[in-house]
Amino acid sequence: MTTHEHGPAEERSRTIHYQVPGKDKRALFAKSGLDQLRAVAAGDAPAPPISSHIGLEFLTVGEGDVVMTAVPDESHYNPIGSVHGGFFATVLDSVCGCAVHSTLPANVGYTTLEIKVSFLRPITADTGQVTAHGWVTRSGRSVAFADADIRDNDGRVLATASSTCLIVRPETS
């Protein structure tokens, strides 16, 4: 047990369970992005491993529009006793990326080029489940843009983001 200036620290632990995604990239991309995400949301395909770290789950998946929930807890805290900005950024990057992914045909992927996050209110373990909504604002052949926000159970906006994603198409010879 670690002793802090204000007495002994309470030690907690967390176990994370996840499935490793398939190594066959062709099989992973055989379906459209929308079909892939709907399969994960329905429990017919494993969730990405990152989901286990932050309690991230799909609520709705539509073309260019995705809603997810996440559950912050004390294991996400920074040194000042609130949820680390990386939690916000991870949730927002996930929901923006999935919104873009939901617009892609089979055999096409994406990667985040940049994301801008604005932190508007703190999150703590007492905040409870948060809801993130991401939507595509513009999509082209090689780049897509998405916006997102995170809200608490009272509908207050906690953070917003705008993201630019690179569309990755298979190489042709």
Side-chain angles (χ1 to χ4, degrees):
M1 181 180 298
T2 305
T3 302
H4 292 277
E5 184 178 322
H6 303 290
E10 182 179 342
E11 186 173 313
R12 297 184 181 180
S13 65
R14 181 176 186 176
T15 302
I16 298 171
H17 299 276
Y18 61 92
Q19 292 181 331
V20 177
K23 293 183 182 193
D24 181 357
K25 297 295 183 194
R26 284 180 282 189
L28 286 173
F29 287 94
K31 295 180 181 179
S32 71
L34 185 59
D35 288 341
Q36 289 176 38
L37 296 176
R38 285 184 172 159
V40 172
D44 297 331
I50 189 68
S51 300
S52 299
H53 292 275
I54 55 178
L56 193 60
E57 295 183 1
F58 286 101
L59 210 60
T60 63
V61 177
E63 188 169 346
D65 194 278
V66 173
V67 179
M68 304 171 101
T69 60
V71 182
D73 65 37
E74 293 164 336
S75 72
H76 304 121
Y77 275 13
N78 57 29
I80 61 170
S82 62
V83 171
H84 190 279
F87 176 91
F88 288 86
T90 300
V91 171
L92 290 164
D93 184 48
S94 297
V95 79
C96 283
C98 286
V100 169
H101 190 83
S102 71
T103 66
L104 301 178
N107 301 312
V108 176
Y110 74 94
T111 189
T112 303
L113 282 174
E114 69 175 356
I115 187 164
K116 178 191 180 295
V117 177
S118 296
F119 305 100
L120 306 175
R121 294 176 183 267
I123 295 177
T124 68
D126 294 333
T127 301
Q129 180 177 279
V130 295
T131 302
H133 179 203
W135 58 94
V136 173
T137 57
R138 186 161 186 249
S139 188
R141 178 163 170 71
S142 59
V143 176
F145 302 90
D147 288 340
D149 63 33
I150 298 176
R151 295 175 184 260
D152 66 14
N153 285 325
D154 294 325
R156 289 181 295 227
V157 178
L158 307 173
T160 61
S162 58
S163 178
T164 306
C165 293
L166 175 68
I167 307 301
V168 181
R169 298 187 183 277
E171 293 182 24
T172 55
S173 305

